[in-house]
Structures are given as structure tokens and as C-alpha cells.
Amino acid sequence: MSEVLRSDVMIAFAVMTAVTVASRLGGYWLMGYVNVTPRVRRMLDALPGSIIVAAALPVAVNGGPIVMFAIAAAMAVSIIRRNDFMAVITGMSVAALARALGFGG
């Protein structure tokens, strides 16, 4: 039998899926009880950027100069264009191009 199709692996996938779905649905359900004041709205508006920073920071610390340059490019696009998706695409493109040209490891 394949390692991926073992029953314990499939059970782990099913449990992780159930927990993910439950946490997302639970978040929607709980937000039904929250008064969306201007302060809460500002917090919710800042959340996507906070998630990107939390995901990118460990990579930036360990990534070297190419990663730092790609993150700087993404930050510049994010500040100028105010578009998180475009910033992520820019950062990925800069890193891929730099590596394709042979810079860094």
C-alpha cells in the first residue's frame, strides 16, 4: 500500500480538514455576534496585511539578500498601489527572476 493512502494518514487528513472547516465556519458564526464598530472595522481591514507579515517574517530572517530584496519590492508595491495581491505577485516575481538570473542560492 502507498505511504500516502495509509489509513492513519487519511484519518489525519480528515481530522485536519474538519478542524479547518469548523474554525472557519465558527468564525463566521461568532462574527454574527460582534458589533462592527469603526474600531473593529479598522482591525478587520488591517488583518490581511498582518497575516502576510506573519508568514513572510520567518522567511525574511532566514532567506538572505534575494528574499530581502523581493520583500522590499513587495512592500513598495503595497504602499504605492494599496493592493496586497499585486504586492505578493511582485515579490514572488522578483525572487524568481533573481534566482533565474543566478543571483543567490
Side-chain angles (χ1 to χ4, degrees):
M1 181 186 281
S2 172
E3 285 291 314
V4 176
L5 296 177
R6 291 186 354 219
S7 62
D8 57 339
V9 173
M10 290 294 116
I11 290 170
F13 284 154
V15 169
M16 288 187 290
T17 301
V19 168
T20 300
V21 169
S23 67
R24 288 179 181 248
L25 292 176
Y28 286 122
W29 178 72
L30 285 173
M31 281 305 292
Y33 296 99
V34 174
N35 291 330
V36 181
T37 63
R39 183 176 181 175
V40 171
R41 170 57 52 203
R42 285 193 307 272
M43 187 235 7
L44 291 173
D45 288 342
L47 197 56
S50 301
I51 292 170
I52 290 174
V53 169
L57 189 60
V59 175
V61 169
N62 298 318
I66 288 178
V67 173
M68 296 300 275
F69 185 65
I71 290 174
M75 286 173 54
V77 169
S78 181
I79 291 168
I80 294 167
R81 297 296 303 256
R82 309 295 283 171
N83 186 330
D84 293 336
F85 182 71
M86 188 179 266
V88 170
I89 296 299
T90 300
M92 290 172 33
S93 299
V94 167
L97 182 63
R99 291 184 193 255
L101 293 174
F103 297 108

